Amino acid sequence: MSIHYPLFLILFILVLLAVTSKFFYRLSLKAFMNKIASRHQFTKDDLYLSFDEMVFLTKLYNDNGKMTSFHKEDLVIKVHYFGILFPKVKGVHVFFKQNHEQTLLAYIRVVDFRIPLFDKLENNAMITQKEYLMLSSYTLIHPATLAFMKEEVYHLLQSS
């Protein structure tokens, strides 16, 4: 019985880390963003967001070649993480959900998510490339950014 207790404890700790690691990762990104924002005196409202580098993988056409009609609620945004115990943001997927099926519409990698203010800070050697990636990761997964992304993708698909 004494042999099983340490194994159970180790297994429990690993499961606990796996379940909570994304939460603590996001929390650390937020703390880092707040630190850099206060040091360089900017707010989230000062950031210009552009999804120019988003890759669209498919268009929503029906069999007649006409655009499939859909609602904004049919778009599902999912953050793509890499790693279980020590996750990192890899990018964001945009899916079209219809009849319990999801079709991948678009994807943006965090390394392609460029923000002019962060570019300026990096070019002036005020932040490193690693710090830029952390700031971009936090900005990309921020709920306001994800909502804005959903809106932009919806309008872009409606206009095409």
Side-chain angles (χ1 to χ4, degrees):
M1 186 161 168
S2 63
I3 290 277
H4 296 296
Y5 181 73
L7 291 175
F8 175 75
L9 186 60
I10 290 171
L11 183 61
F12 176 75
I13 290 171
L14 287 175
V15 168
L16 185 64
L17 282 173
V19 170
T20 61
S21 59
K22 287 181 187 173
F23 170 77
F24 288 114
Y25 172 65
R26 281 182 261 146
L27 199 61
S28 70
L29 288 177
K30 181 179 181 178
F32 183 73
M33 173 64 115
N34 290 338
K35 175 183 157 188
I36 297 296
S38 69
R39 181 187 307 157
H40 298 289
Q41 300 174 349
F42 67 86
T43 66
K44 177 131 176 49
D45 296 334
D46 297 329
L47 303 179
Y48 171 75
L49 303 178
S50 171
F51 304 108
D52 292 341
E53 297 301 319
M54 182 173 277
V55 176
F56 285 84
L57 304 168
T58 186
K59 291 212 176 193
L60 299 175
Y61 293 107
N62 60 21
D63 294 336
N64 300 332
K66 301 232 181 207
M67 185 75 170
T68 303
S69 63
F70 66 97
H71 303 285
K72 194 177 353 176
E73 295 78 30
D74 296 330
L75 295 177
V76 177
I77 306 284
K78 290 187 179 177
V79 178
H80 177 206
Y81 290 96
F82 175 76
I84 295 173
L85 292 181
F86 303 105
K88 301 280 185 222
V89 172
K90 192 92 166 150
V92 173
H93 292 102
V94 181
F95 292 95
F96 171 66
K97 183 179 179 184
Q98 186 176 39
N99 300 332
H100 305 293
E101 289 185 27
Q102 290 187 354
T103 304
L104 181 60
L105 287 177
Y107 182 75
I108 186 165
R109 298 180 326 151
V110 71
V111 295
D112 295 331
F113 184 58
R114 306 302 295 183
I115 299 170
L117 178 63
F118 299 163
D119 286 335
K120 181 180 173 185
L121 292 173
E122 184 183 30
N123 291 337
N124 293 333
M126 297 174 154
I127 60 172
T128 65
Q129 188 174 14
K130 182 180 176 183
E131 291 171 330
Y132 189 114
L133 187 60
M134 291 174 67
L135 294 170
S136 291
S137 295
Y138 176 72
T139 305
L140 186 60
I141 65 173
H142 191 279
T145 303
L146 296 175
F148 180 62
M149 181 186 303
K150 186 175 189 175
E151 191 75 31
E152 288 290 307
V153 169
Y154 177 74
H155 288 298
L156 187 64
L157 289 172
Q158 289 296 315
S159 66
S160 60

